[in-house]
Amino acid sequence: DLTRFSNEDIVCIAGIEVKSKQCVRPLPYLEKSKCRKLNLFPGAILEGKFVKPKVVDKPHTEDMNYEKLSFKGPCTSEEFENVLKTTIYPSINKGFENKVPAGTKVIPHGNPPSRSIITLELKPNQVEIVKNAFDPKSPRVNIMDNDGRTYTYLSVTDLGFYNFAVSKQKDPHYTDELNEFIKGQKMVYVRIGLSRRYKSPDDRDGYWIQANGIYTFPEFKTNLRTYE
């Protein structure tokens, strides 16, 4: 996954260590210029030495320090899907250890789960990209989960989707284009992540559910995988 920050000069990446099936979030965050130089996109194969920090706070137990990070080329579509399947959970709530209060999209800070990234396997009709009424550059997603829960207006931090929205922000119908494409696919894998702790103006304090990556199969839109 490549996810964006408000500081557009850096990118958060997260991947799966194939043998252990463990999710790894390399720290410190990479500069966007380095990601571009390495040609990093979802499905990239990376190699490096990853070391667990001395202190890791739940739920972000995927955090790892790294050395000598290198790009080994892209994986095939089949390989990418198979890796995503190794981290599937039946629902957001179960993936986060039944700690998501019903009707909310934030896990209270006092009871964090032991992980911050999971994968959902969804049918195309369970996913809808919607505009952000307050910021057209920042799309949102509605999800009908496999347990019947609905999560609306989740932040999309997927870098490719964000950059696509930036390029299309003056087009009032760009979400229609995205949804039409998604509906034409067989499967959608959504990488669900938890933000760092954040307290909203209405005093909701905790770890916010967001879409770190949205991947369609068997096809994907190449213009969703750009740095600009």
Side-chain angles (χ1 to χ4, degrees), residues 154-209:
L154 297 180
S155 176
V156 177
T157 58
D158 181 311
L159 180 64
F161 271 74
Y162 172 76
N163 288 335
F164 182 83
V166 170
S167 71
K168 296 279 190 174
Q169 60 182 301
K170 294 182 180 179
D171 178 357
H173 305 295
Y174 85 85
T175 54
D176 295 340
E177 177 184 343
L178 290 175
N179 289 318
E180 182 179 356
F181 176 79
I182 289 171
K183 295 296 187 291
Q185 302 307 304
K186 290 184 178 179
M187 194 63 63
V188 184
Y189 297 89
V190 182
R191 293 278 286 165
I192 297 293
L194 298 179
S195 70
R196 301 292 173 172
R197 182 179 173 183
Y198 172 74
K199 186 175 182 179
S200 66
D202 60 4
D203 291 330
R204 287 179 292 173
D205 187 358
Y207 309 99
W208 293 71
I209 297 168

Side-chain angles (χ1 to χ4, degrees), residues 90-109:
S91 69
I92 292 174
N93 190 41
K94 288 185 178 179
F96 294 132
E97 302 171 343
N98 299 309
K99 294 185 176 182
V100 183
T104 72
K105 51 187 176 183
V106 57
I107 297 176
H109 74 89

Side-chain angles (χ1 to χ4, degrees), residues 10-186:
I10 57 175
V11 176
C12 175
I13 68 172
I16 306 299
E17 201 290 310
V18 177
K19 291 182 180 179
S20 68
K21 300 179 177 59
Q22 179 182 0
C23 185
V24 175
R25 183 189 295 109
L27 294 177
Y29 299 125
L30 274 68
E31 294 181 355
K32 186 185 289 186
S33 58
K34 183 173 183 178
C35 289
R36 186 186 290 109
K37 183 177 180 179
L38 292 174
N39 198 31
L40 294 189
F41 292 98
I45 300 171
L46 298 180
E47 185 176 275
K49 180 180 179 181
F50 300 98
V51 180
K52 185 70 99 174
K54 291 182 179 180
V55 179
V56 178
D57 294 325
K58 292 182 179 181
H60 299 95
T61 56
E62 302 86 0
D63 290 352
M64 290 273 193
N65 299 131
Y66 65 90
E67 300 175 8
K68 300 178 181 178
L69 196 64
S70 59
F71 173 55
K72 298 299 180 179
C75 66
T76 66
S77 179
E78 182 180 8
E79 289 171 332
F80 188 25
E81 186 173 15
N82 287 339
V83 168
L84 289 169
K85 284 179 177 290
T86 67
T87 58
I88 285 174
Y89 285 85
S91 69
I92 292 174
N93 190 41
K94 288 185 178 179
F96 294 132
E97 302 171 343
N98 299 309
K99 294 185 176 182
V100 183
T104 72
K105 51 187 176 183
V106 57
I107 297 176
H109 74 89
N111 190 30
S114 58
R115 67 183 66 89
S116 68
I117 307 177
I118 63 171
T119 305
L120 294 182
E121 184 179 40
L122 302 171
K123 298 294 185 183
N125 62 3
Q126 293 176 265
V127 179
E128 180 189 24
I129 307 299
V130 295
K131 287 184 179 178
N132 182 340
F134 302 100
D135 183 359
K137 301 190 300 295
S138 182
R140 296 289 189 262
V141 63
N142 297 335
I143 290 174
M144 170 63 77
D145 207 350
N146 297 313
D147 59 1
R149 288 194 184 188
T150 299
Y151 297 86
T152 59
Y153 221 57
L154 297 180
S155 176
V156 177
T157 58
D158 181 311
L159 180 64
F161 271 74
Y162 172 76
N163 288 335
F164 182 83
V166 170
S167 71
K168 296 279 190 174
Q169 60 182 301
K170 294 182 180 179
D171 178 357
H173 305 295
Y174 85 85
T175 54
D176 295 340
E177 177 184 343
L178 290 175
N179 289 318
E180 182 179 356
F181 176 79
I182 289 171
K183 295 296 187 291
Q185 302 307 304
K186 290 184 178 179

